[in-house]
Every structure is written in C-alpha cells, then in structure tokens.
Amino acid sequence: MNQPKIPPATRGRGERKQITAVFIDVVGFSNIASTADAEDLEQWLEEFYAQSKEIVEKHDGEVTEYLGDGVVALFGLDRADELAAPKAVNAALSAVSDINAAYKGSLEVQLRAGVATGEVAVRASNAGNLPRATGMVTTLAQRIQERATPGTVMIAESTKELLRGAIAVTPVPDQKLKGFSEKQTLFQPIPQIVPANDMPQAFFVGRKAELGRIENSSQPSLIIGPAGIGKTALCRHVAQTAPRPVVFGADGVHTRASYQPFKDWIVSQTRKTLPDFADIQSCFEPTGLAIDAQRALALVLGLPEGQRLLAEKSNVALKALIEDSIWQAIQAIQPDGLLIVEDLHWLDNASFGVLVNILQSPSAARYQILMTSREDTKIGKYLDSLPITMIPLDVLDNADASSMLDALARGKTQASNREELIEKAAGIPLFLEQLFQRSVAGDAANDGVPGTLMDLLADQIDATGSSKPVLQCASIIGRSFSMEMLRSIAADLGPLETHLKKACARGVLQEVSEEGWTFSHALLHQAAYQGMLRRTRVDYHSQIAAYLQDKHADAVRRDPALLTNHLSLAQQHVPAIQSYLAVSQWALFQGAFEDAEAHILAAIALCAQAPDDVDTTDLEIACHTALGSIRVQMGGYNAPNVKEAFDTVVKLAATQHRHSAANGPAFYGSFSHAVVSGDKAGSDKFSELLLETASRVPAAETDNEVQLASLNVEACLHCYSGNFEKLFVETAKLREIYDITKHGAMITKYGVDTFAATQMFDSVGQSIYGDAHLIPDLVAEADAHQELLNIPVMRPYALIWGSVPLFYAGDVETAVARVIEGIAAATEQDAAFWQVTGAAWLNVMDPSQSDTPEGLAAFGQVISTHDLIGARIGLPYFRAHYAVALAKHGQFDAALQESLSAVTENRASGLNCWFAEVLRLHAKVCQMAGQPDAAASALEQSVSVAQSQNARLWLIRTRLDQLDAGLISKADLARAVDLFHPHATPPEVIAAKQILIDA
C-alpha cells in the first residue's frame, strides 16, 4: 500500500522540549463505574477533573488530557523551567493527598500517580484537537503509576535526577513496566521538604586564587569544568589585560572539518570571506613565512596552490608541515602574548595535532596559553603527557555571586531580587547571568529558575519572541554565521537585522562585523538548534546544502566538509556519503588520519541508514576500502581492523549482482593491501573481482581504466607468485592500451600509475628470468616515464624498486647508490614503509652493512619493523639474508631459526618470487652451521622451484653452490648457462663460464 506523502516541515509546526509528565489515576474506577448512575458518574468525574486541574495549575503545570479515570499533566511545556520536576512531583503528592475523591460520601476512593521526565515533540498551540506533546514520557508516567500503591506517588529516575535533593526519595529497584523491556529503578517521593543538596561543582570565574595560579604558572593552563561554569568568562577576563590576545574556538555542532579553529583564524587574518592564495601571501609573506608554509596554509583553506603539496609530501610529512606552518603563522603575526584555545572537548583531531605541536614547541614559552574544556576522554588522550597546569573551577560563593551581580548591573537597572537570584543560581555564573537578564527585563512570565543549563538557555531563546525563528535558522548555519547565508533560508522572516539586534540585547548574539554574527555562547547555539523538530532541521539543512552547491561551489570545492555536514543532517544519504568520502580523502592528504577515519565511519553509518530502495553497495565498498587504507597508515598492514575492513569489501562485492567501474579503485586498493601483507588468497580474490569487473565494464566507459588496473594487478600477482612468463604477457597487453595523456591521472583514483607500477614488476621479472641484457633499457624507460609523470611521492618507490633489477643484472654500485637516494627521498617525505624497505634492500645489496655488531642489530630491527607493520611480501627474502648475516657472526642457532622461519613463511604464502633464492640462502646457513645434508636438500628444492618458474638467475646461483659443494657435475652447470640469452651476462653467468673454461 502506498504511504501518503508527508508535506515538508514548515516554520511554526512545533519544537522539541524536555518536559515532566504526571499521570494521576483513580484506583478501582471500574468498580465504581460498573454500579454508578451515568449522570452521577459524570458529575463525580468533573469534580475530580476540576480539583486535579486546580492543583496542577497551582504548581505551574498544564492538564493536557482527560482519559476516563486518568489525568495527564505536563510541566515545562510552554516555557523551560528548572523547577519543572520538583513542581510536578509536588503536584502529584498534593493530588493523591488533597483531592476529595469520595463517591457520594459513602465510598472512599484512592488516587495514585506516576511522574517521568523526557523529551517530546511539542505541537504549536493552534494545533486544534491534536495532542500538544508526542513522546514516550506520558506513557512512561502512566506505566509508573501502575507500580505505585494506592495513595502514593512513584517517579522515574530521570525525574529524580532533576530534583537536586529538594525532595527526599526512597528507591524501589527492579520494577518491570508494561511495554518496557528493561527493569527500572523507580523512586517513591516522601512528602517532606529537605534542604537542597548543594553538591560542590567545578567552577572558576573571578576567583583571585585561581587567577593567581594562572599568573604564576610557567606552564600552559587548562581550565576544566562543566558547561556554563564560567570557563569562557575567565579567559575573556584574562584577555582584557593581555596586550595581544588571540582566541581559537571550536564549534560544538559543526565538527566535520579538520583544522577548523585555525582555518577560521587564517581567514580572519586575511580579512577576506573567501581568501585566495594572493591574500595569504599578502598577509603572511611580509612576516617572513616561508613559501612552503604559505602553501600549507593554502591547503588548509582548500586552495589549489596548496594542493601541489599532495604530490610532493607523504601524508605524515604533510601533517607535520601543516602543524608547523600554522604555528609559524601564529608566531609571525603575534610573536608573544596570550593564546586562548576554547572548548577542547569539541576540537577536531587534526586541530589537536596542531595544539600538541604548539605545546611541545620551545617557542611556546614566549606565550601565556589558556585552554578550556569539559571533562572529555580526548583531553587525556592528547594532553596527559604534557606539562600543563590543571585548574578545575568551583562554584561561586555568595560573596562572589553578589560581586558578579554588581558587575552585570553596572550601567543598568539593579535587580530588586538579588538574594533570590543568588540562591537560585546556586553559584553557577551562567545561571546567575541569565536570571539577572530576565529579572531586569521584567519577564514576569517566567519567575522560576530553569532546572538544567540547556533548559535555561532554551528559555532565553524563547524570550526573544518573534526573533526565535531567525535564531533557529541561524543555528542551522553554525555558531558563527554570515548575513548572506542567513538570508538564504530566512529572508521571509522580516528585517533580519532587527531580529538579530534584539537577540543581541537579550545576550543571545554578538555582532562581530557588519555581515558577521555569533551566538554569545556555544550552548546558546545548541539550545536554538536542538529546540527544532528534526524534520524542520532536515528541511533547513537541505536548503543550506542546495544554496552552497548553487552559490558557493568554489567554497565547497575548497572545503567539502562544509557541504558534507549539511547533506548528512539533511538525510541526503548518497550525496552525503559521497561527500564524506571526499572529505576523508582530503583529511588523509593533510595527514589528519583520525579525522579521515572518523569521516569514513560516519559515511559507513549513513550507508546503514539509507532507505531500502537506495542501493549503497558501491559506496559501501568504496568506504570500507578507504577505511582499510587509512588504518594501514595508522596501524600498519598487520592491524586486525585493517583486515576486517578489506574482508568486508570482499563480502560486499560478493553480494553484488552488477559490476561497476566505481569499484575498480576499491578492488585495486584491497588487492594492494593483501599482496603487500603476503596474503595470496586475498590477492587472488581481489584480482578475480577486478578481472571480472574489467570484463563486464565497457572499455569506452572509463577509457580502459578498469582494464589497465586489472592488467596491472595481474602483472603484480604473476611477479610475486614467480609466474614470470605470464607477467611478460600481461605487461605487453598493458603497453598496447596505456596512454599517459589519458591515463596519467589514474593515480588520483588508484593511488599509483598503472604503467609505472607494471614497468617495475616487468624489469624485476626479466632480471630473475635471466634477461639481464634488457635491464638497462627497461630501467631507463621506467625512469623516463617517472620524469613525465612528475609525481614526487612516487620517487622513493621508483628509486628503490628500480634498483632491484640493476642489482640482479650485476650493476651493484649503481643499485646501491639508487637505494641510498631512495631512502633519503623517503626520509624527506616521512614515507616510513619505503624507509624500512630501502634499508632491507641495502642490506641485501651490500652485505657489509651488517659486518659490525651495530650493523647486524640494525638489520634485525629492519626485519622486526617489517614484521610489526605487516609488510610481509618480501619479508621471507629479507629474513633469509639476515639469517646469513647472523651465521657470519657465528650465531648459528639464531641463524637457523631465522632461516627456517623464512622458508616456512614463504612456503605458506604461495608468493614464490624469491622462494628458490630463500631456499638457497637457507642451504648456505645450514652449510655454515655444519649441516651439509640439510643444505643439500634445500639446494635440491631450490633447483626444483627455479626450474618450474624458469627463474634462470636463481637456478644458476643454486647450481654454482651445488658445484662448490660437490653435489653436481660441471655438465649440470653448463646446461644452466646455456639457458641464458647470449647477450645476458649477469655476474653469475660470467663466473660459471670462467669455471667451465678453467675446466
């Protein structure tokens, strides 16, 4: 059956609120009704209703429903009220004790009541006969009253927490409520007023002792405490006497973008709404900021001039550059003074990296640094190891509260009810400030004290009257907003400037420029936002997303997180997921790994929330592939959650009934992880998936991109598996269709140039196959192709991997120099994988590296690091060389253990590119350890593997060792030499020919 379409949300339809509900019930009403005269019963019920209504309204509540023998009353419905919960409980106690419910003077009737607190959707007052509030809280109150004995009241834990000790209660645990799966602890209030439980709370504002601690501390200070305790007020107080204060503030609602507080600061320094690179240069170049640092700032802003760094730096190096550049920029603009970083609990992970970098810098000693935060696990994660003075905040005592009232009243009307305000504020400065503002404004409609901070703030938003819809629209944009953006969704709400100035007068907003405004407190921003119905928020976010795409496409390209947040909150699932992927990639390019992971996890969550008729399989595959790649960089190839991500890719791909070109990069990335991890089964799976996709996707659809990726993967797999002749076939196919002008840009999707990668595999395969005479030209061709690509991040890969065929062809000196150059390039880029891989190859090519005990230990560390990060594709080969090095030092037991491990690992992986050589090296270790029989067996196995692969280089090496051990004749050696091309003269062939000549 077709469901009726729900019209889009419009302003004035309602809002969300926290209320307290009371359900008053007549015990045994059925017995009365079954024998009573209908007219008498009606009169009795009307009297019961009237008495209930009177008591409820006396306690500032509102009766919203009459349900036969029950009355539903809501507290805090029209205006937020701190005392809603105690008023509701007192009303319930009064009802069950004071209502005269006797029927016709002869039958005693008892009442009972249940009370619960929770969030509801509140309809507008002109909603006709529809109920004012919708939510489970009234049902919960009804179920709770069923557990009360006649003449008593029972309340929910949610209500008890808001009583603040004003009413004594007795717990009643393990109560099973109809319709609720979990047992609950309920509470029976005692009709007795007790002194308020004035619990100590963290607070700091205006305290001389704490100000002294800040002033006397030689360390940065972290002011910590709950919302509204005065952290911001303290910082602003200190800033008043500081010569050059700078404030970096996190945004509690919009937390998608990396480096957001610092990005806002950079923009503010340029004095432009959408600065370009020239603006950055104009602002920072005169200060002496280096060009790379200027480009890093440009990258943070999403400018194209910064994007060239993506090709020049690894993610880790780029992250460090951005953090250093932001700090240098701050120092360039302000060489000393006060730095304030507010609301660390909302700070994005990348910004935490900047903050930690600042705090660890020796230059930080020139500054006074203040930070604020609520209690949050991120604080310990990032700051525990740093020298920081922690300053918890206490509530104001009455004397300080009185002084604060004096400061608030300076130049204004004095509050007539000072003692009442001080008592109700309970030492919380934000409470005191807001209560004072309402008092001097003469707002008699709300003479109670809001029960929670959010209720208080929501009530302050309510107090702006007709300006409230404008504030709600503004909250959709963010804590800070521009008039231009506000007009895009609120132009029909009247003269916006008038509403905004009214909100300023109420203390809700602050005007920061002619076109810029901000909520005066982050929690005020949240109160305005959370007070809207979800469907209303969805509608507004949709409007903002459309506006951004239509009017600010350039800004969206610079900062995709700007759009992603609104798409996500607008429940536009597919566009939001796609945008999350873009934002994650951007964060990854900036080295913000944790942010990149968080964005991808959010995208995956959105995939799960998508409607059933929306197929998100392709997007899920892309998301989990990206997640695996990010986690590789965070925890190495061997991290369990990395395999989990790529396993999910396999499962998702297996459920697909169609093949999409969009899956090409996902399958390619998953294959890369599997093969580097030494997982042949996984490599085979992803190779098959990519091959099948390439066969189903028309070549013209992507200009052969998927086909090239598949050929590259096949070439890679054949190389690492030792199927060298098949490798050459795939390489030839790829050569036929690759065109650098069309396909050079594939690196942005696949993370590598497919032809360049295949060239590397081909030259290595040719050298092992024995065609050493081809190697110089193949390496020269690969280097020329790298020059055309001009992608610096591929330089370590090209240098190190390109040295291998040169080494096998006998040009050891050039190969070693190339590896050293590659290690230097990797070090410059912080490319850890290529640093450790280069170090391993250097030990292979130049065994003298491990001649000293220190060199041997360094080689062992290289092996351990490969094992730790899970880069196992070449590990058995490297381990076998390490075993030989150990044997040279006389450590035969350790050498044999390493050598056997190498053989076992290689045999288990099935990636046999180096297996024959691993067996030969194992034989060498056995021979040195005095185990000739084991050595002979290993050499025989090596010959078998080499012959099955046509791996002539491995075969000639093994034959030379066998001849030296007296295991074969020179005729066997001659047959191995005859397998080589006449022009192929690697050192092993030259040596073998000399032996044969000498014979």
Side-chain angles (χ1 to χ4, degrees), residues 345-524:
H345 49 280
W346 285 324
L347 203 63
D348 60 272
N349 295 312
S351 293
F352 258 113
V354 177
L355 177 59
V356 170
N357 184 53
I358 291 172
L359 295 175
Q360 291 177 332
S361 168
S363 303
R366 300 199 307 266
Y367 298 82
Q368 182 182 23
I369 299 177
L370 294 184
M371 298 168 286
T372 71
S373 180
R374 300 181 199 170
E375 293 285 352
D376 193 284
T377 55
K378 289 193 293 188
I379 303 304
K381 175 181 177 182
Y382 287 102
L383 304 183
D384 262 357
S385 62
L386 300 175
I388 292 172
T389 299
M390 302 287 290
I391 302 179
L393 305 188
D394 283 327
V395 296
L396 290 170
D397 60 21
N398 287 353
D400 283 337
S402 181
S403 297
M404 182 176 175
L405 279 178
D406 291 338
L408 288 169
R410 195 167 295 140
K412 300 178 183 178
T413 305
Q414 290 281 352
S416 59
N417 54 342
R418 291 173 61 90
E419 291 74 16
E420 181 182 354
L421 290 179
I422 291 172
E423 179 183 355
K424 290 182 177 179
I428 301 174
L430 186 58
F431 271 51
L432 187 60
E433 178 184 357
Q434 302 307 319
L435 288 168
F436 167 80
Q437 289 184 358
R438 275 201 293 272
S439 176
V440 298
D443 190 355
N446 183 15
D447 58 355
V449 179
T452 67
L453 183 59
M454 290 307 299
D455 281 345
L456 173 59
L457 295 166
D459 186 53
Q460 189 181 359
I461 299 291
D462 287 346
T464 63
S466 61
S467 299
K468 178 179 177 179
V470 176
L471 298 177
Q472 291 179 324
C473 288
S475 74
I476 292 290
I477 302 168
R479 181 180 174 184
S480 298
F481 56 93
S482 68
M483 184 66 76
E484 176 197 1
M485 194 74 76
L486 183 60
R487 288 192 188 101
S488 72
I489 57 173
D492 61 335
L493 291 176
L496 298 180
E497 292 83 353
T498 301
H499 289 299
L500 297 181
K501 289 186 181 299
K502 180 180 178 181
C504 281
R506 287 282 185 172
V508 178
L509 295 181
Q510 293 176 356
E511 185 175 4
V512 295
S513 68
E514 187 175 343
E515 284 289 310
W517 303 74
T518 185
F519 284 86
S520 57
H521 196 286
L523 293 173
L524 280 167

Side-chain angles (χ1 to χ4, degrees), residues 162-373:
L162 296 177
L163 297 179
R164 300 177 64 203
I167 301 174
V169 296
T170 300
V172 184
D174 299 327
Q175 295 299 296
K176 186 69 175 72
L177 306 181
K178 181 180 178 181
F180 293 83
S181 58
E182 300 293 331
K183 289 184 177 181
Q184 300 186 29
T185 296
L186 303 180
F187 298 85
Q188 183 175 337
I190 302 170
Q192 171 187 357
I193 302 299
V194 298
N197 183 16
D198 194 14
M199 296 290 291
Q201 300 184 52
F203 173 78
F204 181 91
V205 75
R207 294 279 193 165
K208 293 182 179 179
E210 283 77 357
L211 281 170
R213 287 189 64 195
I214 293 174
E215 183 178 352
N216 296 326
S217 175
S218 60
Q219 301 174 337
S221 298
L222 175 59
I223 303 149
I224 196 160
I229 204 68
K231 302 182 293 294
T232 298
L234 165 66
C235 288
R236 301 300 162 86
H237 176 77
V238 174
Q240 287 177 358
T241 57
R244 289 177 296 277
V246 176
V247 179
F248 304 95
D251 188 333
V253 172
H254 301 289
T255 58
R256 307 295 185 200
S258 303
Y259 306 109
Q260 188 64 51
F262 301 102
K263 180 188 300 182
D264 292 343
W265 178 81
I266 296 168
V267 171
S268 71
Q269 294 304 307
T270 66
R271 302 183 185 280
K272 297 290 182 66
T273 303
L274 287 173
D276 56 25
F277 189 61
D279 297 319
I280 290 178
Q281 288 182 305
S282 176
C283 179
F284 292 101
E285 196 169 62
T287 67
L289 195 66
I291 185 63
D292 265 5
Q294 295 176 41
R295 288 177 183 148
L297 300 186
L299 183 61
V300 169
L301 297 188
L303 296 173
E305 289 81 355
Q307 294 176 16
R308 62 180 293 180
L309 295 173
L310 303 179
E312 297 174 358
K313 304 285 185 181
S314 70
N315 292 331
V316 174
L318 194 55
K319 177 178 183 291
L321 175 62
I322 290 173
E323 291 173 356
D324 286 337
S325 299
I326 292 173
W327 180 217
Q328 291 169 25
I330 294 169
Q331 294 177 82
I333 296 295
Q334 178 173 316
D336 54 26
L338 173 64
L339 301 181
I340 298 174
V341 187
E342 293 187 333
D343 298 324
L344 299 191
H345 49 280
W346 285 324
L347 203 63
D348 60 272
N349 295 312
S351 293
F352 258 113
V354 177
L355 177 59
V356 170
N357 184 53
I358 291 172
L359 295 175
Q360 291 177 332
S361 168
S363 303
R366 300 199 307 266
Y367 298 82
Q368 182 182 23
I369 299 177
L370 294 184
M371 298 168 286
T372 71
S373 180

Side-chain angles (χ1 to χ4, degrees), residues 253 472 475-476 524-532 537 541 569:
V253 172
Q472 291 179 324
S475 74
I476 292 290
L524 280 167
H525 169 214
Q526 288 188 315
Y529 183 83
Q530 294 176 1
M532 287 182 287
R537 295 199 297 258
H541 282 296
L569 294 172

